[in-house]
């Protein structure tokens, strides 16, 4: 495996797993009022586009990491909306 | 400009700007207890590696977007630590 592919997969692992601590924290505390859902909407659009970019470039690290990231961040987006206290704005 | 470069730049714009709503919310409310600093530590490591990956692949959209993302997310990481109520854990 080439050096750059290792860097790409490592980079993808870190950015893909990055949202997990936030998901775990939200599930534990049930408190997400300080978290911005607009951040996760924007992030999901971007990750979707990165996945398309990966297919166009036939670049596996980009496809896999951004595809998984899209799923995880969509889950956090749903959490950040459904667990919000009714009174709190976005 | 090629179609895939447009997708790459658009993808980069969305993922780069994604953290801005969270930064604005944190600066306005001064409340970040629900935000996970571990998410931003992991994200910064990943974005740093993606920037290295961009240099290795000589891929401008990846270098520019992940470099700027690294700076913005580092700022949010600092905010998520410095604005934390003393009592709250990570």
């Amino acid at each position: 495996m080439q050096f750059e592919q290792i860097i790409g997969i490592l980079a993808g692992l870190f950015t893909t797993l990055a949202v997990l601590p936030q998901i775990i924290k939200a599930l534990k505390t049930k408190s997400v009022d300080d978290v911005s859902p607009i951040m996760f909407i924007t992030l999901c659009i971007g990750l979707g586009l990165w996945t398309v970019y990966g297919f166009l470039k036939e670049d596996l690290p980009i496809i896999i990491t951004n595809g998984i990231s899209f799923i995880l961040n969509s889950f956090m987006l749903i959490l950040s909306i459904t667990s919000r206290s009714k009174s709190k704005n976005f």
Side-chain angles (χ1 to χ4, degrees), chain A residues 4-61:
Chain A
E4 65 193 40
Q5 271 192 314
I6 295 168
I7 294 288
I9 290 171
L10 263 177
L13 267 176
F14 273 96
T15 43
T16 301
L17 299 180
V19 72
L20 282 179
Q22 183 65 71
I23 290 176
I24 293 164
K25 189 178 175 67
L27 290 173
K28 257 194 211 166
T29 62
K30 300 274 182 294
S31 175
V32 289
D33 294 346
D34 299 333
V35 175
S36 164
I38 300 170
M39 172 169 83
F40 285 100
I41 292 169
T42 321
L43 201 51
C44 286
I45 295 170
L47 291 168
L49 286 168
W50 272 127
T51 309
V52 169
Y53 181 79
F55 277 110
L56 293 173
K57 296 275 266 191
E58 292 169 12
D59 189 314
L60 206 57

